[in-house]
Amino acid sequence: MDLKYLVREPENITSATPILFMLHGYGSNEQDLFSFRETLPADWILVSFRAPRDTQFEGFSWYDIDFNNPENFIDVEQARESLNALLESMLKIINHYGLTENKTHLCGFSQGGILSYALALQYPEMFSYVACMSSYPEPKILDHLVKDKKKLEHLRFFISHGTEDAVIPLDWGRKAADLLYDLGCYFTFREYMSGHGVNQKNYMDLMEFFSK
């Protein structure tokens, strides 16, 4: 499955150029997180993917959601298909640019954040900085979770959640702190007075995280 994406290239690209992959939420598109590009480091490659499934109002999703069925909230098979497509696309892009000595980062919102957890915690050797906003770690797609602390210790997580989130409850988001603590991962967990979105303070903290 070939995923469509937007890309911003820096003036100079070497084998050590950092790259940030961005994964939008349900019903959105590749333009959403790509709007962050003006305040992200100018020497990074930015890649913002479009999810493969159509939703209403010309949006896209990584997998179907059943809001009326908490036990089967996500379509696991579709989520796994999207994870495989993302992994394949990321490796192709990294290879295309000849990035052999670089750091690879992830930024995901909502559904995109859920997939970011799954990618980072199952393929930790691939990633460095990981931002998961308004999301949670979904156990059903973490069946190959890496538990070797030596393989996870280099990862840096930025976790954010709105206290008034009516789509993904704050309690679900807090599960990330418990999981990452148990795994021995380095993480920052922040709550904001907002709903299911990224307010100004959240945005500023996210940019500070990626500027370190």
Side-chain angles (χ1 to χ4, degrees):
M1 186 193 303
D2 283 333
L3 296 176
K4 295 182 178 179
Y5 59 87
L6 295 173
V7 62
R8 186 205 72 183
E9 298 177 350
E11 284 188 24
N12 299 305
I13 297 175
T14 71
S15 60
T17 297
I19 188 167
L20 172 63
F21 291 112
M22 309 164 97
L23 314 182
H24 66 76
Y26 183 92
S28 188
N29 60 46
E30 68 275 25
Q31 297 281 356
D32 187 17
L33 299 182
F34 200 61
S35 63
F36 295 177
R37 65 190 179 279
E38 299 302 329
T39 45
L40 286 163
D43 58 344
W44 289 12
I45 301 169
L46 305 181
V47 175
S48 185
F49 287 109
R50 176 194 292 182
R53 299 180 177 278
D54 294 335
T55 63
Q56 288 180 314
F57 311 115
E58 299 182 357
F60 300 90
S61 74
W62 299 101
Y63 51 84
D64 292 339
I65 295 173
D66 187 348
F67 289 102
N68 299 316
N69 189 349
E71 292 302 311
N72 291 299
F73 183 62
I74 82 165
D75 187 310
V76 175
E77 198 56 43
Q78 291 177 2
R80 287 195 173 127
E81 285 176 10
S82 286
L83 281 172
N84 289 335
L86 281 165
L87 196 61
E88 188 177 317
S89 296
M90 288 175 182
L91 291 170
K92 276 184 186 174
I93 292 167
I94 288 168
N95 185 55
H96 169 74
Y97 287 110
L99 306 177
T100 54
E101 305 169 278
N102 74 316
K103 288 186 175 180
T104 298
H105 309 307
L106 270 177
C107 179
F109 176 79
S110 194
Q111 250 194 10
I114 292 166
L115 295 187
S116 293
Y117 279 122
L119 287 164
L121 293 175
Q122 295 181 116
Y123 308 98
E125 70 283 355
M126 274 187 68
F127 304 103
S128 294
Y129 286 10
V130 183
C132 300
M133 300 174 290
S134 304
S135 58
Y136 71 98
E138 172 53 68
K140 291 178 180 176
I141 54 172
L142 278 171
D143 39 355
H144 298 296
L145 178 69
V146 172
K147 295 182 179 178
D148 184 343
K149 293 183 179 181
K150 286 281 185 194
K151 293 181 178 177
L152 297 166
E153 62 185 6
H154 69 282
L155 289 172
R156 296 290 180 270
F157 283 89
F158 174 85
I159 314 301
S160 66
H161 216 100
T163 55
E164 309 302 317
D165 194 326
V167 178
I168 295 178
L170 177 58
D171 285 348
W172 291 21
R174 286 176 174 163
K175 290 177 184 176
D178 296 333
L179 175 63
L180 296 177
Y181 180 82
D182 289 343
L183 292 171
C185 292
Y186 179 90
F187 68 93
T188 299
F189 182 89
R190 294 189 177 166
E191 298 175 10
Y192 300 90
M193 293 287 288
S194 66
H196 192 67
V198 179
N199 68 11
Q200 189 63 25
K201 182 69 172 77
N202 190 169
Y203 182 79
M204 290 167 64
D205 290 343
L206 177 69
M207 291 304 116
E208 182 185 358
F209 169 72
F210 279 131
S211 69
K212 291 174 183 174

